[in-house]
Amino acid sequence: MRLRDIGFYTGFAKASPMGISPDRKRAAFVITRADPVTNLYCQALVVLALDRAGQPRLLDTGGEYIPASTEIRGNQTITGAPAVISPKWSPDGQWLAYLKRTGGVTGAWLVRTDGSASRTLLSLASDIEDLAWTTDGTSIVFMTATSLEREKTRIAAAAKDGFLYDDHLVPLDGATPLPAAPTTRDYYAVKLGSGEISIASPSEQALLDGSVANGRPRNALKFVRGPAGAIAWTERRKPDHLMSIADLWVRSADGTSLRCPDVNCQGQLRGIEDLWWFGKDLVFLKREGWGYSQLTLYRWNPGRAPIRELVTDDLLMGCTPVGSKLLCTREGAAQPRELVTINPQSGKVTRIYDPNPGFAAFRRGRVQRLHWRNQYGFESFGDLILPPGYKPGDKIPLIVVQYISRGFLRGGVGDEYPIYLFAERGFAVLSVQSPPFFYESLPDQGWKRWEDAEAENVKGWRDRWSHLSTVIEGVKLVVARGIADPNRIGITGLSDGATTVQFGLVNAPGFFTAASVSTCCMDETSTAIYGGTAWYNELRSFGYPSLTQADPAFWRGFSIAANAKQINVPLLMQVAGHEFILALETYARLKDAKQPVEMFVFPDEYHIKSQPAHRLAIYQRNVRWFEYWLKNERSSEPGLAAQYARWDQLRATAYSAPKGP
């Protein structure tokens, strides 16, 4: 819980949390550390010298968690995931500007790089989302979604007349409509001397808005400027086709364009992740290997074949050039996030800063990367973590954690299932990476967006079978090695991982012995009603039946509620306050069928739970849940008598415990 993170921990963010000084010799970033006692985060803005070993220098502290906002089904939505904070250096290297949230509003702060001063630059009624210095250092350009604030004001004013129930009112989120999306961004500049705010000029706006960047091709996916006016970018051969191959292009200052003809320069849905210029060489990072499990760094001198300089199972994020090297954050399966440099000429990786040097001293389970195929032939992979001191031949309970197994093995997506703590308590853990979408195995049918292809996934629940078979085949592999006890298999999940749990409990009876989910569930009436009209209409477009169609067979293949009498697997639900209503149908039907189910609701939480006290409680309860159901063990900690009395009652009134495969 108390690991120090460079930025906030998230397995999704690709933006860099680092700001590099103009002389390319220092990096600024925010270190965060969860404190479950105060239920807050300790945050510090620091600067690290890159040319010598040492600890970063603290410049500023304080601030609140900044939640990211995203557009989902026409609404501006809080998911609970953190925003990425990237400090920005003044052109003279004397000041840093960065986002800091106080009093529930995200503002802009100025900090002297020698640590002598820290002050608020801007605190407006609406959140500031990003900022940048002008080239002369006299002003700061900032971006804010003032249209979002206007929409919130309009919603508040409409309350007195009652809210029209439409796509913007999502019952699972509450009784107030969500702001309509897309949200337009407004760009301003503030003069540092006078504090005068003006509308940003086009050139100033371009400092923050990549879509208006000079020379960026209209259909570019990735884009970078190089030396002497050269540019590089990736572009789909058919720009409006989801499945089209994307190529790597360069264009010199004289306008001559060249496509890299090598297959290593190409990609489809999982292609080149980022690219940078180093002199005449273009360096790019690409996902490759079994099931796209590895990252590969290539160096390409246009006109020659690209050279593979580095292949790694580690997760590299937020890379940025510093002199002749790349500075990246790196996570390994057993290594929390750290800073490294990579020499693009040799692929050599050098650790620059480890914010958690004491973590290496902890006793940890051994990690092994496993490869297998699911029932559709998709290359699948995951990481097996065995308890410290595990003796070959011992059959022990296994817990499945989903659904991303890249980078540090912390707690699965959402970070609610503490992998190394499970291993410490005597469990084997299989951290499973989800397979590609099923439609990726089909010929391109001209889909423009993933939503257009989703109907192919829903037919016969093929995508859900693909995900479930990836889990099942991985578990069978561990069972076949004589490690996992097939009668003691636990499964966990959030979001798409929770959907795999749901599908598995329905379609693989007897395979799983206990389960825990962080979100729940998709059932006929709850999805159509509590998910709101926008989600209902979207599902209808994917091939889900309408409420008036009443297709019991469809839902019997997927819904826990529709199969409540047959599902006698102990199920723990630890759900967010902004989503728990979606779990009520499943919970009520399981309780009515006298099945072993328990639900906890965490107030003021969203899809990704962020409050440290809640996350600690979730960690602890998940450990105790699986110890009880898979090992028949009870914690000796005080204050748990009522909990175990409830679980004993669940066991006594439920059907006989299921047997494994």
Short mmCIF file of all heavy atoms in Angstrom, two decimals, residues 10 188 192 327 430 434 459 465 505 510 581 599 616 646 650:
data_model
loop_
_atom_site.label_atom_id
_atom_site.label_comp_id
_atom_site.label_asym_id
_atom_site.label_seq_id
_atom_site.Cartn_x
_atom_site.Cartn_y
_atom_site.Cartn_z
N THR A 10 -0.82 3.51 -12.23
CA THR A 10 -1.86 3.07 -13.15
C THR A 10 -1.21 2.23 -14.22
O THR A 10 -0.08 2.52 -14.64
CB THR A 10 -2.62 4.25 -13.78
OG1 THR A 10 -3.50 3.75 -14.80
CG2 THR A 10 -1.68 5.25 -14.42
N TYR A 188 -5.81 29.51 -22.93
CA TYR A 188 -5.52 30.87 -22.49
C TYR A 188 -4.04 30.99 -22.20
O TYR A 188 -3.32 30.00 -22.05
CB TYR A 188 -6.31 31.21 -21.23
CG TYR A 188 -7.81 31.12 -21.38
CD1 TYR A 188 -8.48 29.95 -21.05
CD2 TYR A 188 -8.55 32.20 -21.85
CE1 TYR A 188 -9.86 29.86 -21.19
CE2 TYR A 188 -9.93 32.12 -21.98
CZ TYR A 188 -10.58 30.94 -21.66
OH TYR A 188 -11.94 30.84 -21.80
N LEU A 192 3.22 36.27 -16.55
CA LEU A 192 3.73 36.04 -15.21
C LEU A 192 3.90 37.34 -14.43
O LEU A 192 3.73 37.36 -13.21
CB LEU A 192 5.05 35.29 -15.27
CG LEU A 192 4.99 33.88 -15.88
CD1 LEU A 192 6.34 33.21 -15.80
CD2 LEU A 192 3.95 33.03 -15.17
N LEU A 327 15.11 8.45 -21.52
CA LEU A 327 14.76 8.33 -20.11
C LEU A 327 13.35 7.78 -20.04
O LEU A 327 12.42 8.34 -20.63
CB LEU A 327 14.83 9.68 -19.41
CG LEU A 327 14.43 9.70 -17.93
CD1 LEU A 327 15.44 8.92 -17.09
CD2 LEU A 327 14.30 11.14 -17.43
N LEU A 430 -1.82 -16.86 -10.54
CA LEU A 430 -1.65 -16.79 -11.99
C LEU A 430 -2.20 -15.44 -12.45
O LEU A 430 -3.41 -15.23 -12.44
CB LEU A 430 -2.36 -17.93 -12.70
CG LEU A 430 -2.18 -17.96 -14.23
CD1 LEU A 430 -0.71 -18.17 -14.59
CD2 LEU A 430 -3.05 -19.05 -14.87
N SER A 434 -5.21 -10.70 -20.81
CA SER A 434 -6.34 -10.98 -21.70
C SER A 434 -5.87 -11.13 -23.14
O SER A 434 -4.92 -10.46 -23.57
CB SER A 434 -7.37 -9.86 -21.62
OG SER A 434 -8.02 -9.86 -20.37
N LYS A 459 -21.62 -12.55 -30.95
CA LYS A 459 -22.22 -13.74 -31.55
C LYS A 459 -21.69 -15.00 -30.88
O LYS A 459 -20.51 -15.28 -30.90
CB LYS A 459 -21.91 -13.80 -33.05
CG LYS A 459 -22.60 -12.74 -33.89
CD LYS A 459 -22.17 -12.83 -35.34
CE LYS A 459 -22.82 -11.73 -36.18
NZ LYS A 459 -22.33 -11.78 -37.59
N TRP A 465 -15.89 -16.39 -24.59
CA TRP A 465 -15.29 -17.72 -24.56
C TRP A 465 -13.77 -17.63 -24.75
O TRP A 465 -13.01 -18.39 -24.15
CB TRP A 465 -15.89 -18.62 -25.64
CG TRP A 465 -17.17 -19.28 -25.23
CD1 TRP A 465 -18.42 -19.07 -25.73
CD2 TRP A 465 -17.32 -20.28 -24.21
NE1 TRP A 465 -19.33 -19.85 -25.09
CE2 TRP A 465 -18.69 -20.62 -24.15
CE3 TRP A 465 -16.43 -20.91 -23.34
CZ2 TRP A 465 -19.19 -21.55 -23.26
CZ3 TRP A 465 -16.93 -21.85 -22.44
CH2 TRP A 465 -18.29 -22.16 -22.41
N LEU A 505 -18.31 -18.42 -14.05
CA LEU A 505 -19.19 -19.06 -13.07
C LEU A 505 -20.40 -19.68 -13.73
O LEU A 505 -20.92 -20.70 -13.28
CB LEU A 505 -19.63 -18.03 -12.02
CG LEU A 505 -18.52 -17.43 -11.16
CD1 LEU A 505 -19.12 -16.54 -10.07
CD2 LEU A 505 -17.63 -18.49 -10.54
N GLY A 510 -18.10 -25.88 -11.54
CA GLY A 510 -17.18 -26.77 -10.86
C GLY A 510 -15.72 -26.43 -11.05
O GLY A 510 -14.87 -27.01 -10.37
N ILE A 581 -25.33 -0.16 -7.70
CA ILE A 581 -26.72 -0.45 -8.08
C ILE A 581 -26.77 -1.51 -9.18
O ILE A 581 -27.73 -2.28 -9.29
CB ILE A 581 -27.43 0.85 -8.51
CG1 ILE A 581 -28.94 0.62 -8.63
CG2 ILE A 581 -26.86 1.40 -9.80
CD1 ILE A 581 -29.72 1.91 -8.88
N MET A 599 -21.58 -8.71 -0.14
CA MET A 599 -21.27 -7.50 -0.90
C MET A 599 -20.93 -6.36 0.05
O MET A 599 -21.60 -6.15 1.05
CB MET A 599 -22.45 -7.10 -1.79
CG MET A 599 -22.18 -5.84 -2.62
SD MET A 599 -23.38 -5.56 -3.95
CE MET A 599 -24.86 -5.17 -3.01
N LEU A 616 -6.92 -0.54 1.17
CA LEU A 616 -6.36 -1.42 2.19
C LEU A 616 -7.41 -2.39 2.70
O LEU A 616 -7.14 -3.59 2.87
CB LEU A 616 -5.79 -0.60 3.35
CG LEU A 616 -5.18 -1.42 4.50
CD1 LEU A 616 -4.05 -2.30 4.00
CD2 LEU A 616 -4.71 -0.51 5.62
N ARG A 646 -20.67 -14.68 9.85
CA ARG A 646 -21.45 -14.56 8.61
C ARG A 646 -21.00 -15.60 7.60
O ARG A 646 -21.81 -16.24 6.93
CB ARG A 646 -21.29 -13.16 8.01
CG ARG A 646 -21.94 -12.04 8.78
CD ARG A 646 -22.04 -10.78 7.92
NE ARG A 646 -20.80 -10.44 7.23
CZ ARG A 646 -19.82 -9.70 7.74
NH1 ARG A 646 -19.96 -9.22 8.99
NH2 ARG A 646 -18.74 -9.42 7.04
N LEU A 650 -22.96 -18.60 5.71
CA LEU A 650 -23.01 -18.79 4.25
C LEU A 650 -22.67 -20.24 3.90
O LEU A 650 -23.33 -20.85 3.05
CB LEU A 650 -22.02 -17.85 3.56
CG LEU A 650 -22.32 -16.35 3.57
CD1 LEU A 650 -21.21 -15.58 2.86
CD2 LEU A 650 -23.66 -16.05 2.92
#
